[in-house]
Amino acid sequence: MGKSQHVVVILACVWLPSCLCQTSPPQHDQLKFRLAGYPRKHNEGRVEVFYNGEWGTICDDDFTLSNAHVLCRHLGFVEGLSWSHSAKYGAGTGKIWLDNVMCSGSENSIEKCLSRGWGNSDCTHEEDAGVICKDERLPGFLDSNIIEMQVDENRMEEVRLRPLSAAHAARMPVTEGVVEVKYNDGWGQICNVGWTARNSHVVCGMMGFPSERNAAKRPHSHRSVYRIHSVACTGNEAHLSACTMEFSKNTSSPCPGGGPVVVSCVPGPQFSQGRGRKTKVNPVSKVRLKGGASAGEGRVEVLKGSEWGTVCDDIWNLQSASVVCRELGFGTAKEALTGARMGQGMGPIYMNEVQCRGDEKSLWKCPHKSITAENCKHMEDASVKCNVPYMGFEKTIRLTGGRTQLEGRVELQAPNASSLDQWGLICGDGWTSREAMVACRQLGLGHASSGLSETWYWDSSNVTEMVMSGVKCRGDEMTLSDCQHHQVVSCKRAGAQFAAGVICSDSASDLVLNAPLVEKSVYIEDRPLHLLYCAAEENCLSKSAVSANWPYGHRRLLRFSSEIHNVGRADFRPRLGRHSWVWHECHRHYHSMDIFTNYDLLDLNGTKVADGHKASFCLEDTDCHEGISKRYECANFGEQGITVGCWDTYRHDIDCQWIDISDVKPGNYILQVVINPNFEVAESDFTNNAMRCNCKYDGNRVWLHKCHLGDSYSEEAEKQFELYPGQLNNQIS
């Protein structure tokens, strides 16, 4: 259908209200959909459509379950269960985009259904339609699955703290100031008569602070423009707009007997002024966030006994999410996310149907249900995005030379620079995807997709001086200056082309090993040397094998299966392109990564006693969860990688799936397996890449127990694991 025909059809529908037609948006205008309203679960709500640059609603006239089916598929659910009329989830704002919508249920888009046309309606927002979708996601659907405050922008567009002086403004974060509300392209104040600590608690939460303190009395302001006359919050609201409030009828009239509201907030430890490099969240906290790109976001994990586990997303909402955020030293929750939006956990699932009021000090104090495996799966793991204080970190870092704003050579504002316009480079020596992770976080650009130690092709800046070198990050820092780095710049390779670069992305992979499978599959094999020529060629045997009497004799091998899952939000792909892969004649396939996994046997002091096998593997999808298709296979020079929701299995009986323990004496050891050990490929979380087991070897047989991912135990349990005195017998309790 040509553009002129579009216009004719739409006009016809405008002028003839009884006319129903199919109407497509302009080619450049992609439709978006979201569920809104409050209170609601993540799979229900008022339907809102983004069209022509503006969010709007759908009228309930002629609405049917078939319409709900089509809309639920737009929203990433498999089908609709029911629909609601008469603004059950509250009246929306803005345009009513569609009216008299009639679908058969099989359409792949709402624009294929009959309707009166875009923007042609005789309804009010009291007739906004809602849907309840089946709580089952379409495989591979990546769009948001979010519960957030839908703020009525006619009432309150934005809230800020205006610093009380220039000195206050210069210190980050701004913890004290006049509360201002944006409206009509201007800012207005709130009258402080009747203002309570509960109101301040809500404002501080919005600003990213866990709590409030009494603000000093300030002189009255006669120049204030009062937008809001009075506010009454319970203290549990996630946003000021959810509080009861009375708007001033005359915005220029003074506040009788008072002045503008001033609040003072208490920052969490990570954001206190003069925070140190090692400032971390409370180490005894029984909640943590994993897999998020930025501070204050991630999958919610809780500690029970000595092991961390996840929270199921049934009836997960902003109140419960806010309890998590404040417990961790952030403000209230900006978003409560469902459907494993921050990746899937691997351990137990401890909580379901969490129902917090919002004032609890810990998520464990909230009413909740314990669950069984039938209730929830890890694809339902709950996550959060918290309000965090504005720190201005992104002002001291920039990217240059990239094809998009998400990539380029990293430039830092030169420390002790006499002008704000002095920038410098970072030495690329030792720069990995872990350092890139922190750079992308500081830039506010999400996850790292790649860290580059050479940037020949991004040479577009006249900046040539190196201002930082020797950068080594854990991966959870908020800025590069929080990472270890040389006190005096020292770079082996001079020249801007050897400066560090990054490519950032909104999603990342996350690889984890199936620890119970390692424990179950372990055994010892004495393998004849004449069967080990290929393995020797690929350096899969310990050094002493070189002097063995080939082809006679054998090597003693500790064998086990590895099942490596991608539980992230992006496929895991090798860093090198196909042109750089190496053909291995012995095993008849291409190896796409030099080092994908290290296998080590350590004594109880942590010293390696058996040569760690530097596994040079071929990556493919061995199997996937239901509804997800395999994308990668090694055969026929196929594409290599691990798809989200799939796993790559290395069976115990394939070559090199072992540690050569021919030279190891009987005793107690630690078996350690580390995936992606050199951080060659970016992931959302590197803390779960190592798996460790207690290992007992009596000279003939081997037993493993307490196999666990590196971050799955409490700190106390991990210490106990490392103090392992050895089994007194061969019975594993």
Side-chain angles (χ1 to χ4, degrees), residues 597-616:
T597 312
N598 284 352
Y599 300 149
D600 295 316
L601 197 64
L602 313 173
D603 67 17
L604 300 184
N605 294 324
T607 305
K608 194 188 300 183
V609 295
D611 280 347
H613 165 44
K614 309 295 190 291
S616 173

Side-chain angles (χ1 to χ4, degrees), residues 348-360:
I349 305 172
Y350 287 135
M351 304 174 86
N352 189 22
E353 296 189 21
V354 182
Q355 290 181 282
C356 303
R357 291 184 308 274
D359 58 356
E360 294 89 349

Side-chain angles (χ1 to χ4, degrees), residues 324-374:
V324 170
C325 292
R326 287 196 194 264
E327 187 178 352
L328 290 169
F330 306 111
T332 43
K334 187 164 48 177
E335 297 172 3
L337 301 101
T338 60
R341 285 288 296 155
M342 298 285 182
Q344 297 182 29
M346 280 291 279
I349 305 172
Y350 287 135
M351 304 174 86
N352 189 22
E353 296 189 21
V354 182
Q355 290 181 282
C356 303
R357 291 184 308 274
D359 58 356
E360 294 89 349
K361 297 298 181 197
S362 164
L363 195 68
W364 281 112
K365 302 276 193 226
C366 300
H368 65 275
K369 290 183 180 175
S370 299
I371 67 162
T372 61
E374 292 77 47

Side-chain angles (χ1 to χ4, degrees), residues 638-704:
E639 285 291 347
Q640 292 192 23
I642 307 175
T643 304
V644 175
C646 300
W647 53 93
D648 191 0
T649 303
Y650 301 94
R651 283 170 46 97
H652 57 84
D653 55 0
I654 66 171
D655 253 11
C656 298
Q657 186 57 35
W658 62 58
I659 298 176
D660 182 350
I661 60 167
S662 304
D663 309 318
V664 174
K665 296 186 175 76
N668 298 306
Y669 300 97
I670 289 174
L671 170 67
Q672 179 172 281
V673 178
V674 185
I675 305 167
N676 193 14
N678 295 344
F679 320 114
E680 268 190 67
V681 178
E683 298 185 48
S684 59
D685 185 2
F686 286 114
T687 61
N688 56 13
N689 283 34
M691 186 224 66
R692 305 204 299 163
C693 309
N694 287 141
C695 174
K696 179 179 174 62
Y697 173 46
D698 68 1
N700 296 302
R701 293 170 297 172
V702 69
W703 294 264
L704 295 182

Side-chain angles (χ1 to χ4, degrees), residues 41 61 95 119 162 408 439 540 560 571 582 595 665:
K41 290 169 70 172
D61 291 351
K95 292 276 202 314
R162 180 167 56 78
C540 296
F560 52 89
D571 293 356
V582 178
I595 301 174
K665 296 186 175 76

Side-chain angles (χ1 to χ4, degrees), residues 81 215 223 239 258 305 399 559 585 593 596 639:
L81 292 179
R223 292 179 296 172
H239 196 284
L399 299 181
R559 306 195 74 144
E585 185 62 35
M593 288 181 72
F596 177 54
E639 285 291 347

Side-chain angles (χ1 to χ4, degrees), residues 496-571:
Q497 64 269 32
F498 299 114
V502 296
I503 302 174
C504 303
S505 168
D506 61 357
S507 59
S509 61
D510 186 18
L511 296 189
V512 292
L513 187 67
N514 181 344
L517 179 63
V518 174
E519 196 167 316
K520 282 189 287 193
S521 61
V522 69
Y523 64 97
I524 283 175
E525 180 193 12
D526 288 334
R527 191 159 180 82
L529 281 171
H530 69 86
L531 298 177
L532 291 172
Y533 281 103
C534 266
E537 187 183 301
E538 293 195 17
N539 296 317
C540 296
L541 302 175
S542 61
K543 292 185 178 70
S544 65
V546 176
S547 54
N549 185 23
W550 292 78
Y552 309 105
H554 65 267
R555 302 300 291 178
R556 177 156 287 187
L557 307 176
L558 175 68
R559 306 195 74 144
F560 52 89
S561 295
S562 290
E563 189 179 272
I564 297 165
H565 290 246
N566 183 357
V567 296
R569 300 289 294 170
D571 293 356

